[in-house]
Amino acid sequence: MNFKIKKGRFLEELSKASKIIDLKSSNPSLLGISIEASVDKIVIISSNGSISIKSSISKKDSGLEVNEVGNILVKGRYLIEILRRIDDQFIDITLIENNLIKVKGEKAEFHLNILDHEDYPLIGFRENGNKFTISASILKKAMTQTLISVDENNKKLSLTGLNFSVSGNELNISGTDSYRLSQKKIILSESLERLDINVPIKTINEFIKIVSDKDEVEFIQSDGYVTLIFGNTIFQSTILEGQFPDINAAFPKDFNSIITLGNKEFAKVISRADIPSEENSSTVVNLKLQGDTIFIKSNIQQIGNFEEEFQEFDLKGLDDQNISFNSKFFMDAVRTFDTKVLEIKIIDNKKPILITSPEDHGLVQLVLPMFTN
Amino acid sequence: MNFKIKKGRFLEELSKASKIIDLKSSNPSLLGISIEASVDKIVIISSNGSISIKSSISKKDSGLEVNEVGNILVKGRYLIEILRRIDDQFIDITLIENNLIKVKGEKAEFHLNILDHEDYPLIGFRENGNKFTISASILKKAMTQTLISVDENNKKLSLTGLNFSVSGNELNISGTDSYRLSQKKIILSESLERLDINVPIKTINEFIKIVSDKDEVEFIQSDGYVTLIFGNTIFQSTILEGQFPDINAAFPKDFNSIITLGNKEFAKVISRADIPSEENSSTVVNLKLQGDTIFIKSNIQQIGNFEEEFQEFDLKGLDDQNISFNSKFFMDAVRTFDTKVLEIKIIDNKKPILITSPEDHGLVQLVLPMFTN
């Protein structure tokens, strides 16, 4: 095998591939990145068992010249380190022995031991199934807004990821840890019959790291897998078994008090109430609405307590509420809005609080109250 | 106790004080920062047992108003967290009970538990002794250039720090781990009879973090202590016992080959030779000078090997050398020069290599060769 390629382009794809590699993998060949050089392109594959990535580099943009086709399995970390330190625009890679490649810049020359490509598992990438197309920037933002409610270590497996459900042209992305709930509705430009899968939070995090905002993403559900195709990359993951709870039933519809206030101003008050405590135990924040004032109080174990009054808000409904919640959960929820205004919707001190914004219609954050004396 | 002060100025000094605090300290009162409010200033003291800092904030620049004098001992971490989250320009601190202070912004109000100031040790700051004055930027740079050769875990105690020795108006700052040696000579604007102390590397690192480039530093040796006074801060540390080796004797004077080359260009070649190996074991780099070419080779355990030719250099003396060294040591030494040109001075493959630059007369880096077959 021998090919010449623009260093920058090659390094970019290798870095993407190396991100998902699990250094603790029990299968040593999964520590490698597979590079397949065919006549007119290079295919780069990596996998950690549950998530797999396949990228192609064509001649366009990459200055690729394949002089001899072939497959190699390299330890990505070292090849990446070497390429980073080479200053030249092009590099040349040659298989010189069964287990050795030569990586050559203009003057620098590395001999690098490689793994046995025959040991690499055959990974099937599923490009067909129930699918829709969405802009990467919209999808990434929605994932970021909803993953805050997901607990990777939840005992209920289906809750350790985000639920994606489509009916008609409405996509709902939902996450919950049973104490809070995040949901984002997105209207798709196409309709499909039915799609309903739970995607592991690790997959979501890796996808967010790799995808670029300008991409269009094809989101494909097939038997046991989700496949995300964007740019020259196929990103595939196993999905979570189990039924996601019917969370639409969890959202209350009628509220006794709806408070409209400045997002930034309120977030600052809550962040002051959320001073981390000595044992990182969670802080309880109390919100008391009384006439034209909101009193925010918190008690930080061992450390002390906090109090602040807040009067810049509009109110619809009852001007008398007294409700407590986990400050971290509330802060996480508030932070997902990049809007000017927030709406805090309260029924009473035993029912969930809802946070929404008129500027982000699709997003709802729900936090259960805490009972305190 | 009650005072009002500009938040930014107060936070700046508290952050400085908190940097040296050792959270694992067995003396719980050393977890605190002492704040003493007198009529016209505030004094902030912190210590980890070996290093102590004392800063004063006067009325100038700080808007300080002391309404009631007194001393408190606060857990710095929490007070800093709170101040960071307060948006107001001024804050007001009041001792309201024996173990409780009130920290108040315009609207936000925190009650914070504090420690008992009576438990805080009395720390003597030594402002007199054998001393010289030096610009902080020059001192910091010299420390950074020489500390690379210091091994904090060296078995010989006196080698776990930098040696500062003055005779006449010449200051020598030296560090060594017995395999390499860094020395920087600085000409002072004053002469003193004799100063010779070993300052722990931890002290050096903390000092570098705290001092600002624009400061002038008074460097004071007193019995068992070094004191550095700059700006409004007194920084004091215990020193290391034991005799520092006579390193001036270690520097060879005559060389068989002196190679002059571009710093940046050569550093890049050496960095390519210094690919980290699997077990972070050190890589041996071989430099072979033959006629008009330098061959740089390295062999990275388990990973592979590297080779590059280098021809852009001037040579005085013998054009035939073959010497090997630890790539990390060599790389560290090369990186301390921010000059255009480097001089590599070689005797033979058993004698130390010297690295200097005509643009930084005071700095010498020495690296012992390694014997390889």
Side-chain angles (χ1 to χ4, degrees), chain A residues 1-2 8 37 42 103 145 168 200 209 236 238 250 259-260 264 268 274 293 297 300 318 320 344 353 355 359:
Chain A
M1 190 187 73
N2 169 246
I42 284 185
V103 182
Q145 289 175 320
K209 273 190 253 165
Q236 179 171 291
T238 52
I259 305 167
T260 305
K264 210 170 73 181
K268 282 191 171 174
D274 181 36
T293 306
K297 284 188 192 181
I300 306 120
L318 259 182
D320 185 12
I344 314 280
I353 283 195
I355 308 171
E359 298 152 70

Side-chain angles (χ1 to χ4, degrees), chain A residues 159 265 312 368:
Chain A
L159 296 190
E265 295 73 21
E312 297 77 30
L368 288 187

Side-chain angles (χ1 to χ4, degrees), chain B residues 74-216:
Chain B
V74 301
K75 291 182 187 169
R77 186 177 145 204
Y78 298 105
L79 185 53
I80 287 171
E81 278 286 354
I82 286 169
L83 294 180
R84 280 199 186 126
R85 291 168 198 226
I86 290 183
D87 287 328
D88 311 314
Q89 206 198 341
F90 282 89
I91 55 121
D92 190 286
I93 293 195
T94 318
L95 180 67
I96 50 177
E97 278 174 43
N98 248 338
N99 58 351
L100 198 65
I101 56 169
K102 185 169 79 182
V103 183
K104 215 174 143 2
E106 247 169 79
K107 285 184 174 176
E109 186 174 314
F110 291 88
H111 287 189
L112 186 67
N113 299 326
I114 60 171
L115 303 163
D116 191 346
H117 196 275
E118 295 201 349
D119 295 340
Y120 203 68
L122 191 67
I123 299 167
F125 286 88
R126 287 152 182 84
E127 304 182 36
N128 292 307
N130 212 356
K131 67 169 99 176
F132 62 87
T133 303
I134 187 169
S135 119
S137 61
I138 292 177
L139 183 58
K140 261 170 82 168
K141 186 175 172 188
M143 287 170 164
T144 313
Q145 289 175 320
T146 48
L147 62 76
I148 58 149
S149 291
V150 179
D151 173 5
E152 198 181 335
N153 304 312
N154 203 303
K155 281 179 190 160
K156 202 171 158 198
L157 190 65
S158 67
L159 297 189
T160 62
L162 285 177
N163 174 260
F164 291 75
S165 102
V166 183
S167 84
N169 68 347
E170 189 180 287
L171 165 65
N172 273 307
I173 305 179
S174 316
T176 182
D177 61 3
S178 312
Y179 302 102
R180 49 183 170 163
L181 205 158
S182 302
Q183 189 178 61
K184 173 89 176 183
K185 264 187 222 312
I186 296 170
I187 302 303
L188 301 173
S189 57
E190 59 202 305
S191 285
L192 48 165
E193 209 168 308
R194 177 128 193 86
L195 179 147
D196 189 355
I197 48 174
N198 304 322
V199 180
I201 197 70
K202 270 191 185 150
T203 300
I204 301 287
N205 285 326
E206 295 300 339
F207 170 74
I208 289 174
K209 274 191 253 166
I210 285 171
V211 74
S212 130
D213 268 343
K214 56 177 208 307
D215 285 331
E216 280 285 304

Side-chain angles (χ1 to χ4, degrees), chain B residues 235-270:
Chain B
F235 179 97
Q236 179 170 292
S237 164
T238 52
I239 56 177
L240 297 168
E241 308 254 326
Q243 184 68 35
F244 201 76
D246 176 16
I247 62 166
N248 286 309
F251 290 110
K253 298 281 178 297
D254 299 308
F255 304 93
N256 291 325
S257 311
I258 298 183
I259 305 168
T260 305
L261 35 65
N263 183 348
K264 211 169 73 182
E265 296 73 21
F266 188 64
K268 282 191 171 173
V269 179
I270 300 296

